[in-house]
Amino acid sequence: MNGNDTAGRSYEISDDPTRIDPARVHRWLSTDAYWALGRTREMQDRAMAGSLNFGAYDVASGEQAAYARVVTDRASFAWICDVYVDRAARGHGLGTRLVTTVRDVLSPLGVRRFLLATRDAHGVYAKLGFTPLPDPDMWMALQVGRGADAPGPPPS
């Protein structure tokens, strides 16, 4: 899954779990992602262990430049979450390529419903065909406790 971003850098996207840099992913998410601020390393490791993980890697250096986690049954449903592109690699379409790759890997397995949540990137995902929920009143959520992954500001 190779390709160039618009700045000419070459990235490879892979779902090989041995290539993921868990410490880097945890640092990115727990310190720079509004939805995961303060997430513990232990929680991140458990989340990764129960998910399908994708990384984007600079072909020249091998360094991980982006990450996406997918909670999926690999049959009918996928929740794309924890999409993060390193600040130095942003603005060149790498996040879009990453999510496109997730869709392209899972669609042949029969996955037809992909969900994600975003506070600030609706336009990015709309380019890939994501739309607001057609019937949001049909969906329900149960929030237990307050933590790093709960909606709203982290607890003080």
Side-chain angles (χ1 to χ4, degrees):
M1 298 179 256
N2 287 329
N4 292 332
D5 71 7
T6 56
R9 287 172 282 193
S10 184
Y11 293 98
E12 178 183 17
I13 298 175
S14 172
D15 62 357
D16 178 352
T18 66
R19 294 187 68 188
I20 298 291
D21 181 343
R24 176 176 291 209
V25 170
H26 175 255
R27 185 180 71 251
W28 282 339
L29 297 177
S30 68
T31 65
D32 195 38
Y34 68 82
W35 65 90
L37 294 174
R39 183 184 291 172
T40 67
R41 173 67 190 269
E42 187 270 335
M43 178 185 282
Q44 182 63 41
D45 288 348
R46 282 189 297 131
M48 291 173 74
S51 303
L52 179 59
N53 301 278
F54 288 78
Y57 307 89
D58 184 292
V59 171
S61 69
E63 192 170 313
Q64 187 171 349
Y67 173 76
R69 183 168 67 87
V70 186
V71 180
T72 182
D73 58 11
R74 295 183 174 139
S76 64
F77 175 82
W79 171 39
I80 303 170
C81 53
D82 289 345
V83 177
Y84 187 92
V85 176
D86 185 86
R87 288 188 174 273
R90 290 183 188 172
H92 303 288
L94 184 56
T96 300
R97 278 195 48 225
L98 185 59
V99 174
T100 299
T101 300
V102 168
R103 180 199 62 203
D104 292 351
V105 165
L106 292 173
S107 290
L109 302 178
V111 174
R112 295 292 174 257
R113 176 161 296 175
F114 293 84
L115 292 180
L116 58 79
T118 183
R119 187 181 293 167
D120 58 359
H122 294 79
V124 171
Y125 296 115
K127 289 186 259 182
L128 298 175
F130 283 87
T131 61
L133 291 172
D135 192 0
D137 293 338
M138 184 175 98
W139 293 85
M140 298 179 71
L142 171 65
Q143 180 178 316
V144 179
R146 255 344 248 161
D149 293 307
S156 43

